[in-house]
Amino acid sequence: MNFIANWSYPTAISFGAGRIAELPEACAQAGVTRPLLVTDRGLAALPITAQALDILEAAGLGRALFADVDPNPNDQNLAGGIAAYEDGDHDGVIAFGGGSGLDLGKMVAFMAGQTRPVWDFEDVGDNWARADASKIAPIVAVPTTAGTGSEVGRASVLTNSQTHAKKIIFHPQVLPKVVICDPELTIGMPQAITAGTGLDAFAHAVEAFSSPHYHPMSQGIALETMRLVIDNLPLAYADATNIAARANMMSAAAMGATAFQKGLGAIHAMSHPIGAVFNTHHGTTNAVCMPAVLDLNAPAIRDRFDRAAPYLGIEHGYEGFRAFVQEFNDRFAIPRTLSELGVDPARIPDLVTMALDDPSCGGNPVPLTRANLTDLFTSTM
């Protein structure tokens, strides 16, 4: 199969091996002449970042870089990014990396021209309408992992450094104008990151497919996302150079994030506060939480997974799918408990309170309460 395509849903996507070379054209398409490339600290020193900067410099676009970004980006990272953006007189952002670099880059482009605090734009009601849309800088997104799908999202997750609460910040114009999905950028990704990010995409699809909200397009995308992850994550995990598996996983990441327009649920309501308080890897945390959440939601989702399982190559309907999820986690050496990730059981009451405040609660097929969330956290310890 020829893994080369040009897509315009949900935004313009240049997909294919080697297409990072088109970064100057992507900037021109987005109207960016003085870009700031935003990524995380770990990625800043890697050859793929140097390659991107070399491409920009050769095209006369400079090589401005901001990389003071934590694995779970926060408001302090954002303040530093805005300062770098303003000091360099930039007119757009290249959000480069995994979820942290992508999310923070999008927020720099969003907030550099705003006068209100970022928390005023939390994804609640129509808070996004408070923003001055004319001041939002254009964004080019370049994912270097295959999981978060933030490259096709209209929101970013940002941690409040004072309260340690994760908040979802939303605006329709935070959607990048152009995305370059080059699976070659993910070759050589460590096994643990391959697994954690891939299972993040899987969690997005599972929760979107489980959500009670009406969105048939997202429902279909979620189903195909699950199939792509099931078929390709083991291949990418076993062979870091398998470009076909890497391409399919990069597709799955973008598709999972597109699908969860239908909604997320208890997996993310749990993992957001866990990540904020204990700085755990988001996708890995999702994977640990998934079996218990499937058990909670079983009465509401059994029938739809009974229908989906045969398409996914899984026997015995929902029960077979539930068993497969644990086996899939085990295949990638995912811990079975949150305690193994460093989560302190004594913090369960705080985590429950934070989870109840998370907007992901609204997409869970079984209403979430203090009682059942306490049971979920306890059962995963």
Side-chain angles (χ1 to χ4, degrees):
M1 183 177 293
N2 183 11
F3 292 101
I4 301 290
N6 294 307
W7 298 327
S8 58
Y9 176 76
T11 190
I13 301 174
S14 299
F15 190 101
R19 297 194 74 172
I20 188 62
E22 300 173 25
L23 190 53
E25 290 85 349
C27 289
Q29 186 176 343
V32 178
T33 60
R34 300 183 305 280
L36 175 65
L37 190 147
V38 177
T39 192
D40 64 77
R41 296 187 192 93
L43 198 58
L46 296 185
I48 57 174
T49 306
Q51 177 190 13
L53 292 171
D54 289 345
I55 291 168
L56 291 173
E57 187 174 41
L61 297 173
R63 54 185 307 120
L65 172 69
F66 177 78
D68 189 13
V69 180
D70 292 318
N72 289 292
N74 57 53
D75 49 340
Q76 294 178 349
N77 301 152
L78 177 59
I82 292 172
Y85 184 88
E86 294 174 342
D87 290 346
D89 191 29
H90 297 289
D91 63 355
V93 169
I94 298 171
F96 188 92
S100 55
L102 293 172
D103 276 7
L104 202 281
K106 287 159 58 179
M107 285 295 95
V108 170
F110 175 48
M111 289 300 299
Q114 304 303 319
T115 58
R116 304 178 70 125
V118 66
W119 314 119
D120 283 1
F121 308 111
E122 184 181 359
D123 188 17
V124 177
D126 60 354
N127 281 352
W128 64 270
R130 298 170 171 175
D132 183 346
S134 69
K135 301 294 186 181
I136 301 174
I139 303 162
V140 174
V142 183
T144 63
T145 64
T148 175
S150 182
E151 66 272 12
V152 295
R154 296 163 175 82
S156 291
V157 178
L158 196 68
T159 300
N160 186 313
S161 59
Q162 300 300 314
T163 65
H164 302 290
K166 279 191 175 184
K167 299 293 184 181
I168 299 173
I169 310 300
F170 169 85
H171 193 283
Q173 285 182 221
V174 170
L175 179 70
K177 292 186 179 299
V178 185
V179 177
I180 294 179
C181 283
D182 183 344
E184 286 186 349
L185 300 179
T186 69
I187 287 179
M189 192 162 49
Q191 278 192 320
I193 301 300
T194 296
T197 54
L199 291 169
D200 190 21
F202 190 62
H204 292 161
V206 169
E207 293 221 281
F209 194 74
S210 301
S211 169
H213 301 317
Y214 180 74
H215 200 321
M217 289 183 288
S218 288
Q219 191 78 348
I221 293 170
L223 180 60
E224 182 64 5
T225 302
M226 286 188 280
R227 186 193 69 79
L228 283 172
V229 176
I230 289 169
D231 290 351
N232 290 281
L233 183 55
L235 300 176
Y237 184 80
D239 179 3
T241 65
N242 187 326
I243 193 65
R246 294 287 180 183
N248 279 318
M249 285 305 302
M250 188 161 268
S251 295
M255 291 166 63
T258 302
F260 74 61
Q261 293 178 34
K262 183 172 177 279
L264 293 170
I267 293 173
H268 281 77
M270 295 174 70
S271 67
H272 284 157
I274 291 168
V277 175
F278 295 100
N279 205 32
T280 59
H281 183 272
H282 176 66
T284 304
T285 309
N286 282 343
V288 175
C289 294
M290 189 180 299
V293 172
L294 286 172
D295 290 341
L296 172 71
N297 290 334
I301 64 175
R302 184 180 301 275
D303 288 349
R304 71 186 67 179
F305 277 95
D306 281 346
R307 296 191 298 271
Y311 179 74
L312 299 174
I314 295 171
E315 297 180 345
H316 308 303
Y318 165 82
E319 297 298 338
F321 181 82
R322 168 61 177 83
F324 169 82
V325 165
Q326 187 61 67
E327 293 165 3
F328 207 48
N329 280 356
D330 292 343
R331 191 181 309 182
F332 306 115
I334 300 298
R336 286 201 170 202
T337 67
L338 293 173
S339 298
E340 293 173 73
L341 296 182
V343 179
D344 182 358
R347 296 297 301 275
I348 287 177
D350 297 331
L351 294 172
V352 169
T353 297
M354 297 167 74
L356 286 168
D357 287 338
D358 193 283
S360 300
C361 283
N364 202 67
V366 172
L368 295 176
T369 65
R370 181 167 294 277
N372 61 21
L373 274 168
T374 298
D375 289 342
L376 279 176
F377 279 107
T378 302
S379 66
T380 55
M381 290 293 177

